[in-house]
Amino acid sequence: MIPRCVTPVCALSALRPEQGVAALLPDGSQVAVFLTHEGAVHALDNIDPFSGAAVLARGIVGDRGGVPVVVSPVYKQAFDLRTGVCVDSPSHSVAVHPVRVRDGVVELT
Amino acid sequence: MTLPNNPMQLVVIGHGMVGHRLVEALRAKDVSGTWRIVVFGEEKRPAYDRVALSSYVDTWRSESLELAPLEGADIRLGETVVSVDRERRVVTSASGVEVSYDALVLATGSTPFVPPVPGRDLPGCHVYRTIDDLDAIRETVKSAHGSGRRAGMVLGGGLLGLEAANALRGMGISPHVVELAPRLMPIQVDEGGAGLLKRLVEKLDLTVHTGTSASSIERDGSRLIAKLANGVELDLDVVVFSAGIRPRTDLDLGLELGPRGGYAVDEGCRTSDPDVYAIGECAAIGGTVYGLVAPGYSMAEVVADRLLGGAAEFPGADLSTKLKLLGVDVASFGDAHATTEGALEVVVNNAVAGTYSKLVVSDDAKTLLGGILVGDAAQYAMLRPLVGKEVPAGLLEPGGNAELSLPADAQVCSCHAITKQTITDAICAGVCTDVPTIKACTKAGTGCGSCVPLLKQLLTECGVEQSKALCEHFDHSRAELFEIVRATRVTSFSALVEKHGRGRGCDICKPAVASILASLGNGHVLGGEQASLQDTNDKFLANMQRNGTYSVVPRIPGGEITPEKLIVIGEVARDFGLYTKITGGQRIDLFGATVDQLPQIWRRLVDAGFESGHAYGKALRTVKSCVGTTWCRYGVQDSVGLAIDLELRYRGLRSPHKLKSAVSGCARECAEARGKDFGVIATENGWNLYVGGNGGFTPRHADLIASDVDTETLIRYIDRFLMFYIRTADRLQRTSAWVEGMDGGLDHLRDVIINDSLGICAELEEAMAAHVGGYADEWRGVLEDPEKLARFQSFVNAPGTPDPTISFREERGQKVPVQLGIPEVAR
């Protein structure tokens, strides 16, 4: 079994509830990492598929009918933080990265 | 058929509201250009809103009464027609100009009736019909040097008389209203309603004398002494006659006249000469002369149709009226006096609440015939269209608030004769989604405005969501949330949504609440939880552009800047490689800054004395100015100085939408102040204040709300205007839509912020004073706080590394973003 690569992103304490941060991955790609009000951590691709800009981490975090979402700051589409699916246009989505918190560090797995 | 290149000629004599409407209607319908139109107007100014004449006193600017300008008509102002040769079909004006016609329309209106009181021609005695009349009354009032209380007498206690009394009040005169009938407004209101009306207006410094008349007027030095038939003697500065009108038929065409005057016309508004029509107050249709504008408008529409070969007939007149006289609602509709045989009356007279209502129904109580409302006329919009229709269930019950629904053919807007069907069709076709769009596409609600509440109801009836709920998280409107936050002093979104909403909020409610918190002064907009509520522009205190970079706009108050500061901006732009562009608001926008660069750029700017220009916020943007008296040969006031003062006063003020302003130093209006949310134009005597303008998708000129005020008064009015807007507007509602959607519109707004009709002005001023005192530069607030500063990084795990997806190319010597590829859509 090939061990999965674990990438530490930041300390959990660096995250503020409902305020995303962007992280640069070794391959040059970017993830947007969010801490919800309830304390769950989510990671999505940072690039907004509607504008091509790497900005999802700068969106407003909230909920749509109870579904936790981030709203792109460019054209305001909402993405489900758990699945990456665009709530306003389900044929669009962004990749979701598995994420965990270990010893106070947020890690992509 | 007449060819468009050889049109027929229509001559219209009279350029009042009805004549204006005729031209407007004909130009709209005559698409093939069958008619050339020549209009003769006796007054020197274009047609104006005579119905709103008393509001002229608020501003003394005739432009506030202007009607929509007419196109496609040759309008000759200040030209009185002195004769008409019907044989040759030629009219001749006082200056000797002859114009021939194929069709002639008489729209000469009426003249005020002056009862034969001895002394009625003395200086200081006036009639009340035109703007010139009001100017003359103003002159008399100005030159009167009486000692003690300044008083005036209005002869006539009808609708017009009370309007005139209101105008006198506006000039600081205490009016005595003298009415021959035993009650006020005898035509529209019954004894019970008039009793209440008298009680309400007497609270407003009016003295009412009913059942009597003036028997003489004499001059005593600079005073006028009026003796009333009941023995009362009045010491006066001015006398105004408004005892009714007479159709104006002094132009003798040898046409048949009606039994009580007026050119006799048939149902098609045609006089005894088939080429000559008469409309409005000079026409006797079926023997009756109507002194209201709505029947006049109907006649204008009939003639426009007839001129194009139609067969329209006068639909009959709706003499219903609703008005606010001296702040008192009065409405009268249908058979208000129960003259129908067997008619029954249902009267509710609440002396404590100060309301009176009477409904008149048929003998079987099944059909609504009419009614009278005094003190509270909110139900008028709903009841008037129901006249002649079945009485809704529950309406006649004590305190009955029946669910009223109108039949499709009921006329909702009587000013423009728009039926419910027309409006609901437009709503159902998806053309109209709110009151302003209904106004735009059907004209309903653009006349007297009394049907606006009904338009809202029709939207609801058609299933157009008129929910005031801000979003799925709050059932409240923005204005309600504002009041909740203000009253409960809650300072965080989480506390607010927990107590008054549900869920975790969204991109609609969070920025709205952030704005409310900021308007109420809750510290830096990025302080604590507030940072999570802000739209990205507010969160980074800069404007996000299409590639995820930001633009930076430092404040340049009034557009005035020293060369040294200009050089600093140039150096910053050069050193950070920013694209620069001059904005429409007289400042400079620096584009292409990454998140990491923002604090560094601000540091340089703040050190040079700049601060945030709030180009990113729903907040005051700029106050533009022209160069004013300092340099300009034509300027009459220091527009730059005022613009700077205003910009510094209101900087950082968060509001439901962006706010723009401008100050022009003279009437040439180089600063384009009328295109702004609040615009100021200098006059010889002070400043004129305009509100509710904007450019953008639906441009709109701002409306005059106060004129010739001094700087202190001006600022007080703007303080009140802005705070009232901030408290009561919807989210993302510009001031223009806010004013238009307000019940009572501009008049109501003027009442609130100038006459303090809601008694809230002191509170509004206090709130503004708190804002001005609590202002701090938001950029500096970030630079001085390491925690806030730490957020300005592209990557949490690689501080200092710029975003590698951002790249630029060069265009016209400056850098511009490389278009981003849109990634393959993942499925």
mmCIF file of all heavy atoms in Angstrom, chain B residues 350-390:
data_model
loop_
_atom_site.group_PDB
_atom_site.id
_atom_site.type_symbol
_atom_site.label_atom_id
_atom_site.label_comp_id
_atom_site.label_asym_id
_atom_site.label_seq_id
_atom_site.Cartn_x
_atom_site.Cartn_y
_atom_site.Cartn_z
ATOM 1 N N ASN B 350 -64.317 58.648 14.744
ATOM 2 C CA ASN B 350 -63.496 58.403 15.920
ATOM 3 C C ASN B 350 -62.789 59.704 16.310
ATOM 4 O O ASN B 350 -61.730 60.032 15.802
ATOM 5 C CB ASN B 350 -62.474 57.294 15.616
ATOM 6 C CG ASN B 350 -61.699 56.903 16.854
ATOM 7 O OD1 ASN B 350 -61.610 57.675 17.809
ATOM 8 N ND2 ASN B 350 -61.144 55.698 16.843
ATOM 9 N N ALA B 351 -63.425 60.432 17.213
ATOM 10 C CA ALA B 351 -62.907 61.751 17.574
ATOM 11 C C ALA B 351 -61.584 61.645 18.313
ATOM 12 O O ALA B 351 -60.758 62.544 18.267
ATOM 13 C CB ALA B 351 -63.925 62.489 18.430
ATOM 14 N N VAL B 352 -61.371 60.530 18.995
ATOM 15 C CA VAL B 352 -60.126 60.370 19.748
ATOM 16 C C VAL B 352 -58.951 60.157 18.796
ATOM 17 O O VAL B 352 -57.924 60.821 18.882
ATOM 18 C CB VAL B 352 -60.244 59.187 20.737
ATOM 19 C CG1 VAL B 352 -58.929 59.000 21.487
ATOM 20 C CG2 VAL B 352 -61.400 59.422 21.705
ATOM 21 N N ALA B 353 -59.139 59.240 17.852
ATOM 22 C CA ALA B 353 -58.061 58.952 16.904
ATOM 23 C C ALA B 353 -57.946 60.039 15.844
ATOM 24 O O ALA B 353 -56.949 60.127 15.138
ATOM 25 C CB ALA B 353 -58.302 57.596 16.246
ATOM 26 N N GLY B 354 -58.990 60.854 15.717
ATOM 27 C CA GLY B 354 -58.971 61.888 14.689
ATOM 28 C C GLY B 354 -59.196 61.322 13.304
ATOM 29 O O GLY B 354 -58.548 61.727 12.339
ATOM 30 N N THR B 355 -60.105 60.340 13.203
ATOM 31 C CA THR B 355 -60.424 59.797 11.881
ATOM 32 C C THR B 355 -61.935 59.752 11.692
ATOM 33 O O THR B 355 -62.699 59.589 12.645
ATOM 34 C CB THR B 355 -59.882 58.356 11.703
ATOM 35 O OG1 THR B 355 -60.480 57.521 12.703
ATOM 36 C CG2 THR B 355 -58.386 58.313 11.831
ATOM 37 N N TYR B 356 -62.341 59.916 10.449
ATOM 38 C CA TYR B 356 -63.755 59.879 10.103
ATOM 39 C C TYR B 356 -63.886 59.088 8.813
ATOM 40 O O TYR B 356 -63.127 59.319 7.874
ATOM 41 C CB TYR B 356 -64.267 61.311 9.893
ATOM 42 C CG TYR B 356 -65.700 61.392 9.419
ATOM 43 C CD1 TYR B 356 -66.752 61.434 10.335
ATOM 44 C CD2 TYR B 356 -66.000 61.429 8.053
ATOM 45 C CE1 TYR B 356 -68.066 61.499 9.898
ATOM 46 C CE2 TYR B 356 -67.311 61.500 7.613
ATOM 47 C CZ TYR B 356 -68.346 61.540 8.537
ATOM 48 O OH TYR B 356 -69.635 61.606 8.109
ATOM 49 N N SER B 357 -64.805 58.141 8.801
ATOM 50 C CA SER B 357 -65.031 57.454 7.534
ATOM 51 C C SER B 357 -66.516 57.230 7.334
ATOM 52 O O SER B 357 -67.250 56.937 8.277
ATOM 53 C CB SER B 357 -64.266 56.127 7.483
ATOM 54 O OG SER B 357 -65.077 55.081 7.939
ATOM 55 N N LYS B 358 -66.930 57.453 6.101
ATOM 56 C CA LYS B 358 -68.322 57.182 5.768
ATOM 57 C C LYS B 358 -68.345 56.388 4.467
ATOM 58 O O LYS B 358 -67.718 56.780 3.482
ATOM 59 C CB LYS B 358 -69.090 58.490 5.574
ATOM 60 C CG LYS B 358 -70.536 58.237 5.131
ATOM 61 C CD LYS B 358 -71.335 59.511 5.091
ATOM 62 C CE LYS B 358 -71.253 60.156 3.714
ATOM 63 N NZ LYS B 358 -72.121 61.334 3.615
ATOM 64 N N LEU B 359 -69.032 55.267 4.480
ATOM 65 C CA LEU B 359 -69.227 54.512 3.250
ATOM 66 C C LEU B 359 -70.686 54.641 2.854
ATOM 67 O O LEU B 359 -71.577 54.554 3.707
ATOM 68 C CB LEU B 359 -68.873 53.039 3.443
ATOM 69 C CG LEU B 359 -67.402 52.759 3.777
ATOM 70 C CD1 LEU B 359 -67.165 51.266 3.911
ATOM 71 C CD2 LEU B 359 -66.498 53.333 2.695
ATOM 72 N N VAL B 360 -70.915 54.867 1.580
ATOM 73 C CA VAL B 360 -72.280 54.970 1.075
ATOM 74 C C VAL B 360 -72.557 53.722 0.238
ATOM 75 O O VAL B 360 -71.778 53.388 -0.669
ATOM 76 C CB VAL B 360 -72.446 56.241 0.207
ATOM 77 C CG1 VAL B 360 -73.868 56.331 -0.320
ATOM 78 C CG2 VAL B 360 -72.084 57.473 1.010
ATOM 79 N N VAL B 361 -73.633 53.020 0.569
ATOM 80 C CA VAL B 361 -73.967 51.788 -0.162
ATOM 81 C C VAL B 361 -75.417 51.852 -0.656
ATOM 82 O O VAL B 361 -76.213 52.665 -0.177
ATOM 83 C CB VAL B 361 -73.776 50.529 0.726
ATOM 84 C CG1 VAL B 361 -72.304 50.360 1.087
ATOM 85 C CG2 VAL B 361 -74.609 50.617 1.986
ATOM 86 N N SER B 362 -75.747 50.986 -1.595
ATOM 87 C CA SER B 362 -77.093 50.973 -2.158
ATOM 88 C C SER B 362 -78.098 50.482 -1.115
ATOM 89 O O SER B 362 -77.714 49.935 -0.074
ATOM 90 C CB SER B 362 -77.125 50.053 -3.386
ATOM 91 O OG SER B 362 -76.722 48.755 -3.002
ATOM 92 N N ASP B 363 -79.394 50.656 -1.413
ATOM 93 C CA ASP B 363 -80.419 50.358 -0.406
ATOM 94 C C ASP B 363 -80.390 48.907 0.064
ATOM 95 O O ASP B 363 -80.789 48.593 1.169
ATOM 96 C CB ASP B 363 -81.812 50.769 -0.904
ATOM 97 C CG ASP B 363 -82.125 50.155 -2.262
ATOM 98 O OD1 ASP B 363 -81.248 49.425 -2.784
ATOM 99 O OD2 ASP B 363 -83.221 50.397 -2.793
ATOM 100 N N ASP B 364 -79.854 48.002 -0.791
ATOM 101 C CA ASP B 364 -79.771 46.607 -0.353
ATOM 102 C C ASP B 364 -78.399 46.300 0.266
ATOM 103 O O ASP B 364 -78.056 45.148 0.522
ATOM 104 C CB ASP B 364 -80.061 45.663 -1.527
ATOM 105 C CG ASP B 364 -79.126 45.905 -2.693
ATOM 106 O OD1 ASP B 364 -78.254 46.813 -2.583
ATOM 107 O OD2 ASP B 364 -79.257 45.214 -3.719
ATOM 108 N N ALA B 365 -77.592 47.342 0.453
ATOM 109 C CA ALA B 365 -76.249 47.205 1.061
ATOM 110 C C ALA B 365 -75.342 46.284 0.262
ATOM 111 O O ALA B 365 -74.392 45.723 0.790
ATOM 112 C CB ALA B 365 -76.352 46.735 2.521
ATOM 113 N N LYS B 366 -75.637 46.117 -1.039
ATOM 114 C CA LYS B 366 -74.814 45.191 -1.840
ATOM 115 C C LYS B 366 -73.794 45.919 -2.707
ATOM 116 O O LYS B 366 -72.779 45.343 -3.098
ATOM 117 C CB LYS B 366 -75.727 44.343 -2.731
ATOM 118 C CG LYS B 366 -76.428 43.260 -1.924
ATOM 119 C CD LYS B 366 -76.949 42.166 -2.815
ATOM 120 C CE LYS B 366 -77.451 41.000 -1.970
ATOM 121 N NZ LYS B 366 -78.741 40.517 -2.409
ATOM 122 N N THR B 367 -74.087 47.179 -3.043
ATOM 123 C CA THR B 367 -73.204 47.896 -3.966
ATOM 124 C C THR B 367 -72.597 49.107 -3.264
ATOM 125 O O THR B 367 -73.309 49.872 -2.614
ATOM 126 C CB THR B 367 -74.010 48.371 -5.190
ATOM 127 O OG1 THR B 367 -74.724 47.264 -5.714
ATOM 128 C CG2 THR B 367 -73.086 48.926 -6.262
ATOM 129 N N LEU B 368 -71.276 49.252 -3.419
ATOM 130 C CA LEU B 368 -70.616 50.420 -2.847
ATOM 131 C C LEU B 368 -70.853 51.611 -3.765
ATOM 132 O O LEU B 368 -70.611 51.537 -4.977
ATOM 133 C CB LEU B 368 -69.104 50.161 -2.714
ATOM 134 C CG LEU B 368 -68.294 51.299 -2.088
ATOM 135 C CD1 LEU B 368 -68.676 51.504 -0.628
ATOM 136 C CD2 LEU B 368 -66.798 51.030 -2.202
ATOM 137 N N LEU B 369 -71.339 52.708 -3.210
ATOM 138 C CA LEU B 369 -71.638 53.878 -4.042
ATOM 139 C C LEU B 369 -70.617 54.999 -3.878
ATOM 140 O O LEU B 369 -70.412 55.792 -4.786
ATOM 141 C CB LEU B 369 -73.041 54.412 -3.698
ATOM 142 C CG LEU B 369 -74.201 53.448 -3.939
ATOM 143 C CD1 LEU B 369 -75.507 54.070 -3.468
ATOM 144 C CD2 LEU B 369 -74.302 53.074 -5.409
ATOM 145 N N GLY B 370 -70.003 55.085 -2.731
ATOM 146 C CA GLY B 370 -69.043 56.165 -2.528
ATOM 147 C C GLY B 370 -68.627 56.235 -1.086
ATOM 148 O O GLY B 370 -68.927 55.330 -0.295
ATOM 149 N N GLY B 371 -67.941 57.317 -0.748
ATOM 150 C CA GLY B 371 -67.528 57.454 0.635
ATOM 151 C C GLY B 371 -66.695 58.692 0.881
ATOM 152 O O GLY B 371 -66.302 59.400 -0.052
ATOM 153 N N ILE B 372 -66.437 58.935 2.143
ATOM 154 C CA ILE B 372 -65.633 60.077 2.583
ATOM 155 C C ILE B 372 -64.688 59.572 3.667
ATOM 156 O O ILE B 372 -65.106 58.842 4.559
ATOM 157 C CB ILE B 372 -66.537 61.192 3.169
ATOM 158 C CG1 ILE B 372 -67.407 61.799 2.064
ATOM 159 C CG2 ILE B 372 -65.699 62.275 3.843
ATOM 160 C CD1 ILE B 372 -68.502 62.707 2.582
ATOM 161 N N LEU B 373 -63.417 59.946 3.553
ATOM 162 C CA LEU B 373 -62.438 59.575 4.582
ATOM 163 C C LEU B 373 -61.694 60.833 5.000
ATOM 164 O O LEU B 373 -61.216 61.579 4.145
ATOM 165 C CB LEU B 373 -61.427 58.552 4.031
ATOM 166 C CG LEU B 373 -61.979 57.251 3.443
ATOM 167 C CD1 LEU B 373 -60.881 56.510 2.687
ATOM 168 C CD2 LEU B 373 -62.538 56.365 4.540
ATOM 169 N N VAL B 374 -61.592 61.082 6.280
ATOM 170 C CA VAL B 374 -60.830 62.232 6.768
ATOM 171 C C VAL B 374 -59.921 61.743 7.898
ATOM 172 O O VAL B 374 -60.331 60.932 8.718
ATOM 173 C CB VAL B 374 -61.769 63.345 7.301
ATOM 174 C CG1 VAL B 374 -60.960 64.519 7.872
ATOM 175 C CG2 VAL B 374 -62.690 63.850 6.198
ATOM 176 N N GLY B 375 -58.704 62.251 7.894
ATOM 177 C CA GLY B 375 -57.768 61.899 8.973
ATOM 178 C C GLY B 375 -56.898 60.705 8.609
ATOM 179 O O GLY B 375 -55.706 60.712 8.870
ATOM 180 N N ASP B 376 -57.515 59.698 8.012
ATOM 181 C CA ASP B 376 -56.758 58.533 7.546
ATOM 182 C C ASP B 376 -57.425 58.048 6.272
ATOM 183 O O ASP B 376 -58.549 57.567 6.305
ATOM 184 C CB ASP B 376 -56.765 57.431 8.611
ATOM 185 C CG ASP B 376 -56.108 56.147 8.115
ATOM 186 O OD1 ASP B 376 -55.486 56.186 7.026
ATOM 187 O OD2 ASP B 376 -56.213 55.127 8.800
ATOM 188 N N ALA B 377 -56.738 58.214 5.156
ATOM 189 C CA ALA B 377 -57.338 57.853 3.875
ATOM 190 C C ALA B 377 -56.632 56.661 3.248
ATOM 191 O O ALA B 377 -56.649 56.464 2.043
ATOM 192 C CB ALA B 377 -57.328 59.055 2.932
ATOM 193 N N ALA B 378 -56.015 55.854 4.103
ATOM 194 C CA ALA B 378 -55.240 54.725 3.573
ATOM 195 C C ALA B 378 -56.101 53.791 2.731
ATOM 196 O O ALA B 378 -55.638 53.193 1.767
ATOM 197 C CB ALA B 378 -54.598 53.961 4.725
ATOM 198 N N GLN B 379 -57.392 53.695 3.104
ATOM 199 C CA GLN B 379 -58.252 52.744 2.388
ATOM 200 C C GLN B 379 -58.756 53.265 1.039
ATOM 201 O O GLN B 379 -59.355 52.526 0.273
ATOM 202 C CB GLN B 379 -59.452 52.399 3.266
ATOM 203 C CG GLN B 379 -59.128 51.329 4.298
ATOM 204 C CD GLN B 379 -60.360 50.536 4.638
ATOM 205 O OE1 GLN B 379 -61.367 51.110 5.012
ATOM 206 N NE2 GLN B 379 -60.291 49.232 4.476
ATOM 207 N N TYR B 380 -58.477 54.534 0.771
ATOM 208 C CA TYR B 380 -59.016 55.149 -0.447
ATOM 209 C C TYR B 380 -58.618 54.384 -1.707
ATOM 210 O O TYR B 380 -59.447 54.096 -2.569
ATOM 211 C CB TYR B 380 -58.537 56.594 -0.540
ATOM 212 C CG TYR B 380 -58.816 57.265 -1.861
ATOM 213 C CD1 TYR B 380 -60.087 57.757 -2.151
ATOM 214 C CD2 TYR B 380 -57.821 57.406 -2.828
ATOM 215 C CE1 TYR B 380 -60.350 58.376 -3.354
ATOM 216 C CE2 TYR B 380 -58.072 58.020 -4.035
ATOM 217 C CZ TYR B 380 -59.337 58.513 -4.300
ATOM 218 O OH TYR B 380 -59.588 59.113 -5.505
ATOM 219 N N ALA B 381 -57.323 54.038 -1.790
ATOM 220 C CA ALA B 381 -56.824 53.400 -3.006
ATOM 221 C C ALA B 381 -57.610 52.128 -3.310
ATOM 222 O O ALA B 381 -57.861 51.788 -4.466
ATOM 223 C CB ALA B 381 -55.341 53.088 -2.849
ATOM 224 N N MET B 382 -58.000 51.451 -2.264
ATOM 225 C CA MET B 382 -58.711 50.191 -2.435
ATOM 226 C C MET B 382 -60.205 50.420 -2.679
ATOM 227 O O MET B 382 -60.832 49.717 -3.473
ATOM 228 C CB MET B 382 -58.516 49.392 -1.130
ATOM 229 C CG MET B 382 -58.868 47.963 -1.236
ATOM 230 S SD MET B 382 -57.752 47.193 -2.412
ATOM 231 C CE MET B 382 -58.913 46.058 -3.118
ATOM 232 N N LEU B 383 -60.772 51.399 -1.984
ATOM 233 C CA LEU B 383 -62.223 51.584 -2.037
ATOM 234 C C LEU B 383 -62.688 52.264 -3.327
ATOM 235 O O LEU B 383 -63.710 51.886 -3.894
ATOM 236 C CB LEU B 383 -62.687 52.422 -0.831
ATOM 237 C CG LEU B 383 -62.569 51.715 0.521
ATOM 238 C CD1 LEU B 383 -62.836 52.690 1.651
ATOM 239 C CD2 LEU B 383 -63.544 50.534 0.592
ATOM 240 N N ARG B 384 -61.927 53.255 -3.796
ATOM 241 C CA ARG B 384 -62.398 54.015 -4.950
ATOM 242 C C ARG B 384 -62.674 53.134 -6.170
ATOM 243 O O ARG B 384 -63.728 53.260 -6.793
ATOM 244 C CB ARG B 384 -61.417 55.127 -5.311
ATOM 245 C CG ARG B 384 -61.936 56.031 -6.411
ATOM 246 C CD ARG B 384 -60.838 56.857 -7.049
ATOM 247 N NE ARG B 384 -59.657 56.097 -7.386
ATOM 248 C CZ ARG B 384 -59.570 55.267 -8.410
ATOM 249 N NH1 ARG B 384 -60.594 55.082 -9.224
ATOM 250 N NH2 ARG B 384 -58.463 54.607 -8.629
ATOM 251 N N PRO B 385 -61.781 52.201 -6.481
ATOM 252 C CA PRO B 385 -62.061 51.372 -7.657
ATOM 253 C C PRO B 385 -63.250 50.437 -7.452
ATOM 254 O O PRO B 385 -63.746 49.857 -8.409
ATOM 255 C CB PRO B 385 -60.771 50.560 -7.839
ATOM 256 C CG PRO B 385 -59.732 51.274 -7.044
ATOM 257 C CD PRO B 385 -60.455 51.912 -5.918
ATOM 258 N N LEU B 386 -63.704 50.279 -6.217
ATOM 259 C CA LEU B 386 -64.825 49.371 -5.957
ATOM 260 C C LEU B 386 -66.177 50.064 -6.097
ATOM 261 O O LEU B 386 -67.217 49.433 -5.947
ATOM 262 C CB LEU B 386 -64.700 48.799 -4.542
ATOM 263 C CG LEU B 386 -63.687 47.666 -4.384
ATOM 264 C CD1 LEU B 386 -63.486 47.345 -2.917
ATOM 265 C CD2 LEU B 386 -64.142 46.429 -5.137
ATOM 266 N N VAL B 387 -66.152 51.375 -6.370
ATOM 267 C CA VAL B 387 -67.418 52.095 -6.511
ATOM 268 C C VAL B 387 -68.225 51.497 -7.669
ATOM 269 O O VAL B 387 -67.693 51.272 -8.757
ATOM 270 C CB VAL B 387 -67.161 53.605 -6.740
ATOM 271 C CG1 VAL B 387 -68.450 54.314 -7.138
ATOM 272 C CG2 VAL B 387 -66.570 54.224 -5.494
ATOM 273 N N GLY B 388 -69.494 51.214 -7.396
ATOM 274 C CA GLY B 388 -70.350 50.600 -8.415
ATOM 275 C C GLY B 388 -70.217 49.090 -8.440
ATOM 276 O O GLY B 388 -70.878 48.410 -9.231
ATOM 277 N N LYS B 389 -69.384 48.565 -7.592
ATOM 278 C CA LYS B 389 -69.174 47.124 -7.558
ATOM 279 C C LYS B 389 -69.692 46.565 -6.231
ATOM 280 O O LYS B 389 -70.055 47.306 -5.328
ATOM 281 C CB LYS B 389 -67.689 46.821 -7.749
ATOM 282 C CG LYS B 389 -67.105 47.540 -8.971
ATOM 283 C CD LYS B 389 -66.250 46.665 -9.792
ATOM 284 C CE LYS B 389 -66.057 47.086 -11.231
ATOM 285 N NZ LYS B 389 -66.100 48.491 -11.577
ATOM 286 N N GLU B 390 -69.670 45.259 -6.159
ATOM 287 C CA GLU B 390 -70.220 44.615 -4.977
ATOM 288 C C GLU B 390 -69.420 44.976 -3.723
ATOM 289 O O GLU B 390 -68.193 45.044 -3.765
ATOM 290 C CB GLU B 390 -70.189 43.103 -5.183
ATOM 291 C CG GLU B 390 -71.112 42.366 -4.246
ATOM 292 C CD GLU B 390 -71.082 40.868 -4.534
ATOM 293 O OE1 GLU B 390 -70.964 40.485 -5.716
ATOM 294 O OE2 GLU B 390 -71.161 40.097 -3.571
#
